[in-house]
Amino acid sequence: MRPTRRRTRLLLAVPVAVAALAVPLGVHAARGADSGTETAPPKPEPAGSECRTTVEGSRVVAYCHNPYPSVDLVRLHTECDRWWDVDADGEVVAVEPGRTVRLEDRCWKEVTTAWVSHRPAPL
């Protein structure tokens, strides 16, 4: 009779060897290497608004224009300089294709920074 340890090692080694040989073949087939055609990933459609932000004293104004065919959601963020002055995140505004929107906010005193964030509208 064969020793049990040797049989156990053999039984454990066979599935590992089969998996080691099968994985590269599966990856090769999944990439489409055997089909002879290479497919490039689709290029994303251009999207997003172009925004200009102006800070004058304690007031912030941003104009966002969307030249693309998809709707862009924009939001104005204002960070105030004084510790007691509340920083603000404005409401989300939808910028339709070919449209311009005006976003505005203010601080009680000076403005440290202001910026506009973008995200695509859900379909």
Side-chain angles (χ1 to χ4, degrees), residues 103-114:
L103 308 169
E104 55 185 318
D105 197 11
R106 65 181 296 271
C107 294
W108 284 102
K109 292 283 187 175
E110 301 85 12
V111 175
T112 302
T113 57

Side-chain angles (χ1 to χ4, degrees), residues 77-90 105-107 110 112-113 115:
H77 305 274
T78 306
E79 190 173 299
C80 301
D81 190 33
R82 307 294 173 127
W83 66 269
W84 45 263
D85 205 351
V86 179
D87 297 340
D89 296 325
D105 197 11
R106 65 181 296 271
C107 294
E110 301 85 12
T112 302
T113 57
W115 69 95

